Structures are given as structure tokens and as C-alpha cells.
């Protein structure tokens, strides 16, 4: 039966145990037992598809992976202890010494740091394209280019990259297209439809949605996931069964949570757009967003992140932060609790001012991860802080 997204999120479940529990139980076990010597031999020879050791697979982890695969339209996946473990292990499994990566300039800070500070140790180099200039990608391709990498919407500028255009370029030049889909969540956007080979998520954000556990996952074509699996079962970044269990339950409410996040975020964006102390607001589903049409084409709703600029630069930005009462000053996003951050003085403070501007961050830029509190209370707090 071909069920819809919400139904798969709830009804995809590992086989019931002899206790016939309704809700999937937690399988805290590091290993699994065998019937006899032949069963054990055949299992290790991979003649049987079964659990051997929880570094390789676990029932709770498998349920979580199966749900995300159905949501993303992927053939297979592997789950990790964090989003960054997913990013690192995926690249480590696929690249050889000498390979070249082309990446969007606007990517998560730790991913950028992997490309700049660590991959060169293994003779893997990266070139960057501007999120506003996808036409510039082809000029960066060399005979050694293997992977095209991007995020959309971007953090914290909330730019939108046209996934269909990236898919066409990757196919034409035989590159592996990897999309970090964390900001959209599997509910709002499925990059595989537009030609992505692999999709990465930090499960820590909207997938958990309540700021409790770290997790990551990579899904995509069975061939590529097999490489990721072979590397990861040896190197050991596996997701804990407890976290997988928490996240599989979280996915049951992903659709209704992300609908409400997006509804609240759009209302806040519209409020800010009319506020005299705000220079500009960026939200994918605001008509004023430069890539509004692309956002409408590839996303179901705008997501939870709103960026705006307070008039008066760094000082006004900091005054705004000091006046916030209800919202949290925290580094997470996609949480049920609304969070405000000031990228110029925190997450992106190590960049030079001109590099910050190049990725859309001015001194007064504020990023709000709009949560699930009542929208009137979220707006009231921001209103009093701006005043
Ligand atoms: C948070 C985040 C990551 C890293 O995930 P962790 O779970 O914190 O390791 C990767 N990519 C994006 C876009 C993120 O927001």
C-alpha cells in the first residue's frame, strides 16, 4: 500500500515482539544471538539480512532509517550519532586522495571547517560557489571533481538554492549531488526528487524538534549508501538505539510540528516586515524573498527560520538581545522553544566582516528559529525587545 507522508511517519514500525506491544519498544542491546554455528557463519557472510552488532544495525535505528527513507524517497540509509558524524562519514566513505569537492559557500560552520581545516590533510580540496550564482559552478569543475554539495535554505541568511538546477549540473558532469536538508526537514522538501544522490540531516534539529538528542542520518541510492555503511560499520559513528527510539517517536509528529513552525514563522516575518525598526526580513515564503518562486517550487512551506536586520548595527543588535525575555538565547534551531541568535557576535564571529557580508550576515542580522509557543507571545516578546 502506498501510504502518505503522515501515515508512513506513524505506521512504519519494526516487527512486534512476543508481547504484542502497540508502541515500538526500546532495544538496548549491543549484540544479538545466533541459533547455531551455521546461522552465525551465514550471518557474518551477509547471506542473511539480520542484526549482528549494534555498531552495524539495531532494530530502533532501522525503524528510524526506514521512516526517513520513505519520507525522502530514498532506497537506503545509515544513522549517525550526530549530524556532523553523518557529514564526515559520508565524505570519508566516498572520496579518494586527490579528489575535489565543489560546495556552496553558505554551509554549516562545522562542515565548512571540515573542508578547510581537515580534508586537505588527506589531499581532498574544495572550491566554493556563491548561493546567488549557480551559473558559476561549471567553471569550478575539474577532472578530479567528485561531489557537489549544498544546503537550502541556507543558514543564517535563509537563501534558497534551486535544487533542480543543481541536479541538472550534477547529472551533466557525473558528480555526486549531496544536499544537507536539515533546515527544510524531510517534510518540506525532498531533494532526491530534484536529482540529489544523497541527502543528509542533522536529526538534532527539526527531526527531534524538542532539543533533546543529537543525531544524523544519510539516505539515498543503495549503491552509495552501501559505501557509507561499509565505512561506518568499521569506523563506528553509529546512532545510539535510545536516541533512534526518541527520534522515531518524534517523526510521528513531524508534519504537524513543521506546519505550525512554518505558520508561526510566516506570521512573525510579516509582522517584522512592517516594523519601523527593521531594515529587512528574509523568509522563503515572503513575496519579497529574492528566490520566492524557487522556494514555492521546491518547498511545501517556509520552515522555522526567519532572518532580519535591526536598524542601528551591532549595538542595536546587542540591545535587542539583552531585552529578550521569553525567547531563548541558544545555539540550537528547530526546537519547540523559539530561539534567537546574533550570528555576527557568535556563530560567525570568527569570519572577517567582509566574509560575513558575503554569506549574508550584517552586524545587525538576527536569526530567529520560530518555535511552537503561541504566535502572539512570540511576537509580543520581539516587539518589546525592539522597543
Ligand atoms: C546542526 C547542523 C549540522 C550538524 O548537526 P549536529 O547534529 O549538530 O552534529 C549540519 N548541518 C546543518 C545545516 C545543521 O544545521
Amino acid at each position: 500500500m502506498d501510504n502518505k507522508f503522515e501515515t508512513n511517519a506513524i505506521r512504519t514500525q519494526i516487527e512486534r515482539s512476543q508481547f504484542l506491544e502497540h508502541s515500538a519498544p526500546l532495544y538496548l542491546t549491543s549484540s544479538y544471538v545466533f541459533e547455531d554455528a551455521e546461522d552465525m557463519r551465514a550471518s557474518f557472510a551477509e547471506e542473511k539480512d539480520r542484526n549482528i552488532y549494534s555498531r552495524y544495525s539495531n532494530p530502533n535505528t532501522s525503524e528510524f532509517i526506514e521512516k526517513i527513507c520513505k519520507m525522502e524517497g530514498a532506497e537506503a540509509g545509515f544513522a549517525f550519532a550526530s549530524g556532523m558524524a553523518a557529514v564526515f562519514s559520508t565524505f570519508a566513505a566516498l572520496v579518494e586522495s586527490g579528489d575535489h569537492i565543489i560546495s556552496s559557500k553558505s554551509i554549516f560552520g562545522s562542515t565548512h571547517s571540515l573542508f578547510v581545516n581537515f580534508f586537505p590533510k588527506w589531499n581532498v580540496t574544495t572550491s566554493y560557489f556563491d548561493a546567488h550564482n549557480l551559473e558559476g559552478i561549471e567553471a569550478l569543475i575539474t577532472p578530479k571533481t567528485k561531489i557537489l554539495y549544498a544546503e537550502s535554505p541556507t543558514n543564517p541568511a535563509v537563501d534558497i538554492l534551486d535544487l533542480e538546477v543543481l541536479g541538472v549540473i550534477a547529472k551533466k558532469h557525473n558528480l555526486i549531488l549531496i544536499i544537507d536538508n536539515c533546515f527544510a526537514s524531510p517534510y518540506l522538501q525532498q531533494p532526491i526528487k530534484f536529482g540529489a544522490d544523497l541527502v543528509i540531516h542533522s536529526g538534532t534539529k527539526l527531526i527531534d524538534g524538542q532539543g533533546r538528542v543529537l543525531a544524523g542520518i544519510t539516505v539515498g541510492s543503495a549503491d552509495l549508501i552501501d559505501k557509507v555503511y561499509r565505512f561506518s560499520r568499521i569506523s563506528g559513528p553509529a546512532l545510539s538505539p535510545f536516541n533512534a527510539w526518541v527520534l522515531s517517536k518524534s517523526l510521528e509528529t513531524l508534519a504537524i510540528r513543521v506546519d505550525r513552525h512554518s505558520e508561526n514563522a510566516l506570521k512573525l516575518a510579516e509582522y517584522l516586515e512592517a516594523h519601523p525598526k527593521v531594515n529587512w526580513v528574509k523568509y522563503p515564503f515572503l513575496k519579497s524573498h529574492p528566490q520566492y518562486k524557487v522556494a514555492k517550487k521546491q518547498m511545501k512551506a517556509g520552515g522555522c527560520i526567519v532572518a532580519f536586520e535591526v536598524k542601528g548595527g551591532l549595538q542595536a543588535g546587542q540591545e535587542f538581545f539583552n531585552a529578550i525575555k521569553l525567547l531563548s538565547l541558544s545555539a540550537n534551531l528547530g526546537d519547540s522553544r523559539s530561539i534567537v541568535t546574533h550570528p555576527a557576535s557568535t556563530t560567525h564571529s570568527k569570519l572577517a566582516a567582509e566574509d560575513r557580508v558575503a554569506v549574508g550576515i550584517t552586524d545587525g542580522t538576527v536569526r530567529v528559529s520560530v518555535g511552537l509557543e503561541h504566535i502572539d507571545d512570540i511576537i509580543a516578546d520581539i516587539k518589546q525587545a525592539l522597543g
Side-chain angles (χ1 to χ4, degrees):
M1 207 163 55
D2 210 9
N3 284 326
K4 299 227 183 328
F5 187 97
E6 291 80 352
T7 312
N8 283 330
I10 292 166
R11 290 288 172 181
T12 304
Q13 188 165 328
I14 39 168
E15 225 178 290
R16 292 207 163 95
S17 78
Q18 76 272 30
F19 299 114
L20 301 180
E21 66 283 343
H22 190 196
S23 167
L26 173 54
Y27 287 95
L28 284 182
T29 180
S30 42
S31 68
Y32 305 83
V33 294
F34 301 92
E35 301 291 336
D36 51 33
E38 170 50 23
D39 181 32
M40 200 160 180
R41 183 207 61 78
S43 300
F44 274 80
E46 296 185 39
E47 290 163 17
K48 292 184 173 179
D49 184 19
R50 55 104 82 211
N51 294 308
I52 296 175
Y53 191 57
S54 285
R55 172 152 37 83
Y56 305 177
S57 67
N58 168 281
N60 295 117
T61 310
S62 299
E63 182 181 286
F64 172 60
I65 294 169
E66 197 185 334
K67 283 189 184 182
I68 300 280
C69 283
K70 284 187 183 169
M71 292 174 169
E72 291 284 2
E75 292 170 356
F78 192 83
F80 299 89
S82 70
M84 284 318 300
V87 172
F88 175 72
S89 306
T90 301
F91 278 98
L94 299 178
V95 294
E96 313 282 332
S97 172
D99 281 348
H100 176 242
I101 298 163
I102 297 178
S103 169
S104 165
K105 229 180 249 166
S106 311
I107 52 167
F108 189 66
S110 299
T111 306
H112 186 260
S113 187
L114 271 185
F115 292 162
V116 172
N117 299 323
F118 296 95
F119 285 2
K121 289 207 294 186
W122 300 298
N123 193 25
V124 172
T125 53
T126 308
S127 304
Y128 301 93
F129 65 92
D130 189 310
H132 300 291
N133 180 22
L134 304 189
E135 295 74 32
I137 294 175
E138 288 190 304
L140 301 172
I141 298 174
T142 76
K144 287 291 193 185
T145 307
K146 184 176 265 176
I147 291 171
L148 179 58
Y149 186 81
E151 296 174 11
S152 181
T154 65
N155 175 31
V158 211
D159 285 320
I160 301 291
L161 282 72
D162 191 326
L163 298 178
E164 195 177 351
V165 170
L166 296 177
V168 168
I169 296 170
K171 192 161 188 130
K172 180 172 161 203
H173 297 278
N174 203 20
L175 307 177
I176 300 170
L177 177 60
I178 306 181
I179 302 293
D180 180 333
N181 201 25
C182 172
F183 271 63
S185 89
Y187 177 60
L188 296 182
Q189 160 180 295
Q190 295 92 34
I192 291 173
K193 278 191 201 153
F194 300 99
D197 299 289
L198 292 173
V199 173
I200 295 179
H201 282 284
S202 164
T204 316
K205 315 293 169 57
L206 283 163
I207 290 176
D208 176 27
Q210 290 156 79
R212 300 166 298 184
V213 298
L214 290 169
I217 185 164
T218 303
V219 300
S221 74
D223 290 7
L224 292 173
I225 291 296
D226 189 59
K227 291 187 179 164
V228 173
Y229 166 70
R230 305 252 152 234
F231 175 77
S232 303
R233 70 177 231 170
I234 298 302
S235 55
L239 178 62
S240 98
F242 177 77
N243 288 2
W245 179 82
V246 168
L247 294 168
S248 187
K249 307 283 180 211
S250 297
L251 287 176
E252 296 186 16
T253 57
L254 182 73
I256 59 172
R257 284 188 287 110
V258 176
D259 274 339
R260 180 62 67 84
H261 277 290
S262 302
E263 191 187 313
N264 281 354
L266 182 60
K267 283 183 188 158
L268 175 66
E270 284 167 348
Y271 169 79
L272 289 168
E273 205 162 40
H275 198 290
K277 290 203 175 153
V278 170
N279 274 336
W280 51 258
V281 183
K282 265 171 87 191
Y283 183 68
F285 271 40
L286 269 187
K287 289 206 179 69
S288 59
H289 191 288
Q291 295 100 26
Y292 173 72
K293 284 208 178 99
V294 182
K296 280 278 189 180
K297 176 181 72 171
Q298 67 194 27
M299 296 174 77
K300 193 179 164 81
C304 65
I305 305 292
V306 176
F308 66 98
E309 187 182 63
V310 185
K311 280 188 184 156
L314 201 58
Q315 203 195 335
Q318 279 172 340
E319 280 167 13
F320 168 78
F321 276 89
N322 289 332
I324 284 287
K325 293 192 178 121
L326 176 72
L327 276 51
S328 315
L329 309 184
S330 177
N332 198 22
L333 64 95
D335 195 303
S336 55
R337 285 155 283 231
S338 296
I339 294 168
V340 285
T341 51
H342 184 224
S345 68
T346 58
T347 48
H348 293 69
S349 61
K350 289 189 190 71
L351 293 185
E354 74 247 32
D355 291 338
R356 277 202 295 271
V357 170
V359 291
I361 305 163
T362 58
D363 283 347
T365 300
V366 174
R367 187 192 81 182
V368 187
S369 168
V370 183
L372 303 177
E373 303 95 335
H374 196 286
I375 184 60
D376 293 352
D377 295 327
I378 298 172
I379 289 178
D381 193 27
I382 290 186
K383 182 179 175 188
Q384 65 78 23
L386 281 170

